[in-house]
Amino acid sequence: MDVGFLKPLFDRPGPWAGVYMDTSRSTEDAPRRRTLRERFVADQLAEQGADRATCDAVIERLAGEQVARASAGRALFAADGEVVLDLPLATSPIDVETSWSMLPRVAPLAAFRGEWPACLVAFVDQAGADLELRDDTGSRPAGRAGGRRAHGRGHRSVPADRHEWHYRNRVGNTWEQTADRVADELVRQWSDGDAELLILAGDPRERRAVRDRLPESLRATTEEMRHGSRAAGCSELLNAEIDHARAEYARAHLESVLDLFRAGRGRPGGPGPSGHDGDGPPSSRAAEGVPAVVAAMRSHQAATLLLGTAGGDMRHEVWIGPDADQVAVQRSQARAMGVRTPEPARADDALMRSAAVADTEVLVVPEGLQGPAGGLGAVLRWHG
């Protein structure tokens, strides 16, 4: 998961109010339930030490919530009397969870938001393609590509003479040019955007022609859908197909990263399985445990931060300063970095802050998959 969307939370100092809640149900007593929930949130934040202005900002935002929301859950982060981030969640929290801490309680987002790769969808036919971008925020139009439909007799019967050959040849040439334009536009948008998966839907012959014109590197991340057309719009069957393709991409990506992690932590050359001696950056291709991962994140060596669903490392206390790179296992280490008044924080929240600022990927390792022993690990960009 790309956590760059969290950067607005780290442009200002804390403390921060955080709220996670379920928004998936809409019942007859929803107004009463929402009122009780707002009161509960306000009481919890006040007990934890939140100021009145920040509590009021959170409650005002919750009071304006629509009865029905498209998302399964919701996360809010507020400071200094302002809600800075209001995010939809892919998974519903079991209970309302509140926090008041120097760093925003962002680590649960890695599990609640889910790993849904952004994808560029092209609905292809003989006239070209309508493009759509799907990401964590939903779906939105991304323009059109192609040319114009061949004019003339369309699908009517054509006399079986030389005129028929010229007609079909002209239609074929028109589509060849259109497919070229569609492929060129897809390459351009792919290069300029953040999509990780390309989806081709629509007429089978036309979508295959577009795929054949794509560079080999892009074809490797392209999936063709059986359902959906440009004329009919997006069907439920197509939605299900796209969701499945995104989930499979995420699963395969996680497995490939875990393979790198397992191989990396077993490489010789480091002082131990974590590849870290407690002071400098890791010397193997993977980091495991709080000291090693903190060192990797601080030195910008981590390509991917791994968070497990079990293990005590994530709850481990670390010491932080105002900058994302100012994170240390011991208070004295933070002071040695120039932090005058180090503040305690959870390791997972501190490292999520570092990941967001450094554009480091964050992946959750579900229970049942072999990941970091204590729940905290990293795959490195390079090794020493």
Side-chain angles (χ1 to χ4, degrees), residues 25-357:
R25 295 185 296 273
S26 176
T27 60
E28 293 181 359
D29 63 342
R32 178 175 177 274
R33 289 184 57 204
R34 288 201 304 274
T35 300
L36 292 174
R37 185 176 61 190
E38 292 161 15
R39 187 180 305 164
F40 174 79
V41 168
D43 291 344
Q44 288 292 306
L45 290 176
E47 288 179 11
Q48 292 165 1
D51 60 275
R52 179 64 179 271
T54 300
C55 288
D56 289 346
V58 170
I59 300 311
E60 182 179 355
R61 179 63 64 90
L62 293 179
E65 176 190 347
Q66 297 178 356
V67 174
R69 292 180 63 89
S71 63
R74 186 178 183 186
L76 284 79
F77 301 95
D80 294 328
E82 179 186 0
V83 175
V84 179
L85 214 52
D86 184 353
L87 299 169
L89 303 177
T91 304
S92 300
I94 298 176
D95 299 311
V96 175
E97 301 177 17
T98 62
S99 60
W100 177 251
S101 52
M102 188 56 61
L103 279 185
R105 182 78 181 100
V106 293
L109 284 172
F112 287 138
R113 290 272 287 186
E115 174 59 19
W116 284 92
C119 63
L120 181 62
V121 184
F123 300 89
V124 185
D125 66 10
Q126 286 190 359
D130 292 327
L131 308 182
E132 177 183 281
L133 182 65
R134 297 191 180 197
D135 56 19
D136 288 336
T137 64
S139 61
R140 56 188 179 275
R144 295 180 179 179
R148 52 189 174 81
R149 191 181 300 276
H151 297 295
R153 286 164 282 192
H155 293 290
R156 292 181 294 172
S157 60
V158 182
D161 55 20
R162 62 188 180 87
H163 297 292
E164 178 178 8
W165 183 89
H166 286 297
Y167 170 75
R168 290 179 177 175
N169 188 56
R170 180 164 61 86
V171 172
N173 289 338
T174 300
W175 165 242
E176 295 290 326
Q177 295 171 1
T178 299
D180 286 336
R181 294 192 189 101
V182 172
D184 288 345
E185 178 63 15
L186 291 176
V187 170
R188 187 192 69 79
Q189 292 215 22
W190 184 267
S191 300
D192 295 342
D194 297 321
E196 301 172 77
L197 185 64
L198 175 61
I199 301 290
L200 298 180
D203 299 339
R205 183 176 70 90
E206 281 75 18
R207 71 174 186 244
R208 291 192 193 107
V210 170
R211 180 170 187 162
D212 289 342
R213 286 164 170 76
L214 297 174
E216 184 177 350
S217 58
L218 183 50
R219 287 201 303 271
T221 56
T222 300
E223 296 288 341
E224 291 188 52
M225 303 290 103
R226 292 178 299 157
H227 301 95
S229 70
R230 193 181 188 192
C234 191
S235 68
E236 288 303 315
L237 290 174
L238 176 59
N239 277 330
E241 261 196 296
I242 293 176
D243 287 347
H244 178 74
R246 295 173 78 186
E248 281 298 300
Y249 178 93
R251 182 197 60 77
H253 177 59
L254 175 60
E255 284 289 354
S256 67
V257 172
L258 287 177
D259 286 343
L260 290 174
F261 173 76
R262 295 164 193 147
R265 69 178 176 182
R267 286 180 178 270
S274 68
H276 178 59
D277 59 10
D279 295 317
S283 57
S284 64
R285 294 180 185 266
E288 186 173 30
V290 177
V293 177
V294 165
M297 296 297 295
R298 192 170 57 225
S299 60
H300 294 195
Q301 276 190 283
T304 303
L305 174 65
L306 296 172
L307 301 178
T309 55
D313 283 354
M314 291 182 293
R315 297 186 297 274
H316 195 284
E317 184 179 80
V318 296
W319 296 89
I320 63 168
D323 296 333
D325 293 341
Q326 294 175 327
V327 53
V329 177
Q330 298 176 354
R331 180 186 287 183
S332 60
Q333 291 175 330
R335 284 179 176 155
M337 298 173 192
V339 182
R340 297 181 60 184
T341 55
E343 296 281 352
R346 283 180 57 122
D348 52 2
D349 290 330
L351 294 171
M352 281 276 282
R353 177 181 71 159
S354 298
V357 173

